[in-house]
Amino acid sequence: MRTIRKTIIMGILNLTPDSFSDGGAYYNVDLALERANTMILQGADIIDVGGESTRPGAEKVHSDEEWERLRDVLTQFRKDKRITVSVDTYKSSVASKAISAGVRIINDVWGGMKDPEMIPLIASSDCKYIWTYNNETPIFNNVIDDLNQWTERIIIECSKRGMDSDRLWIDPGIGFNKSHVQNMQILAGLQNYCSNFKDYNVVLGTSRKSVIGNILKVPPSDRLEGSLCTVALGVSAGVSVVRVHDVLQTKRTCEMTEAILAYS
């Protein structure tokens, strides 16, 4: 048997009224704390907290309002030593306040493209940074080549700013401004991607997304099986982190996949 690294599980906690799957479900401090506690007991290693929906067509939120949604929850989370928190934001002003509040992971779904101050901010801190492959301009060329080129660019940029591989996590960005075919091509190429960037933690966020709904023809609430399939695929391919809604089922899927891989 060989030793298989335990997959890190990020549990999604949306403090928003309009997220695509669970918008409005945890839209106050007490409900958010209860949900976070449940996810920790189910096996979440990180709670990824978001104050603005990133679904296609979602209404933009001013940084002040986004921080208002996050502030009290993060204050409570800081008191619970079990909770490692990630904040899902592309705004450096929100990220700066989150870091001051004790957050040590910033999950930027725009990969620094929306706010040029984001990467310098992270580089000057001791925070980890999740960079996501995303682009407002449609990708017309080979999506795999484009993904690899953008990943190489961000690695070079962050390295020049003093961020080592442990602090930079990379996310191929399933669902963000990509066609269904492009999403499927990235999923099919995960093993090569993880191999190409083996010194970096690769994050996979597919939970309940439209790439699953397009195939299964079901709404977000019925996409568990499809989500777990992509998790198993990702763990087999070498991803280090999975970002999910359904923590308990994902935890079991990861453990089973890891157990099989130990004999490979």
Side-chain angles (χ1 to χ4, degrees), residues 161-202:
R161 294 182 180 275
M163 290 175 60
D164 59 27
S165 59
D166 182 60
R167 289 180 57 203
L168 175 61
W169 296 6
I170 53 179
D171 183 339
I174 297 296
F176 290 105
N177 296 306
K178 301 170 187 69
S179 69
H180 177 74
V181 169
Q182 289 170 336
N183 285 319
M184 294 297 287
Q185 288 173 335
I186 292 173
L187 286 171
L190 275 178
Q191 188 166 2
N192 285 336
Y193 185 73
C194 292
S195 178
N196 289 341
F197 301 103
K198 60 182 182 298
D199 293 332
Y200 295 83
N201 285 315
V202 175

Side-chain angles (χ1 to χ4, degrees), residues 20-21 187 204-213 216 218-234 242-246 249-250 253:
F20 81 95
S21 179
L187 286 171
L204 181 64
T206 53
S207 184
R208 304 184 187 179
K209 287 189 174 178
S210 61
V211 65
I212 297 166
L216 302 183
V218 292
S221 59
D222 289 337
R223 295 174 186 170
L224 174 61
E225 297 89 348
S227 298
L228 296 179
C229 177
T230 62
V231 166
L233 173 75
V242 290
R243 182 180 181 274
V244 300
H245 298 86
D246 304 289
Q249 296 89 336
T250 299
T253 299

